[in-house]
């Protein structure tokens, strides 16, 4: 699971900086310190990797939103 997470985090960083279309699976593998085959072990395609990265980001934002909404002691102005 550590390698899968490292691949996702690396892909997210590269997609953010370079754009999805401008990043190859080979570049992701090199930056993550793994082989292309290793990426395809965890993800069927670059598109599936992008979907998983998007879901990872969505989950992080959901957790932040829940934490934000649960905080009843801090005013909305202070939260902003």
């Amino acid at each position: 699971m550590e390698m899968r997470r490292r691949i996702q985090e690396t892909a997210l960083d590269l997609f953010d900086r370079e754009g999805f279309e401008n990043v190859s699976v080979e570049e992701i593998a090199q930056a993550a310190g793994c082989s292309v085959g290793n990426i395809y072990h965890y993800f069927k395609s670059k598109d599936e990797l992008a979907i998983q990265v998007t879901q990872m980001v969505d989950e992080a934002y959901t957790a932040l939103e829940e934490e934000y909404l649960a905080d009843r002691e801090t005013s909305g102005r202070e939260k902003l």
Side-chain angles (χ1 to χ4, degrees), residues 4-60:
R4 180 183 177 92
R5 191 178 84 247
R6 185 177 344 150
I7 292 168
Q8 287 177 307
E9 289 174 356
T10 301
L12 174 61
D13 180 55
L14 290 171
F15 294 160
D16 185 48
R17 285 189 289 127
E18 307 292 332
F20 174 79
E21 294 295 329
N22 299 320
V23 176
S24 69
V25 172
E26 291 81 9
E27 290 171 310
I28 297 167
Q30 184 178 22
C34 68
S35 68
V36 171
N38 209 352
I39 291 178
Y40 287 117
H41 172 76
Y42 293 106
F43 308 96
K44 293 178 186 175
S45 66
K46 181 178 150 186
D47 289 333
E48 182 184 330
L49 173 56
I51 290 167
Q52 293 296 319
V53 166
T54 302
Q55 288 177 344
M56 182 180 73
V57 170
D58 287 346
E59 289 169 5

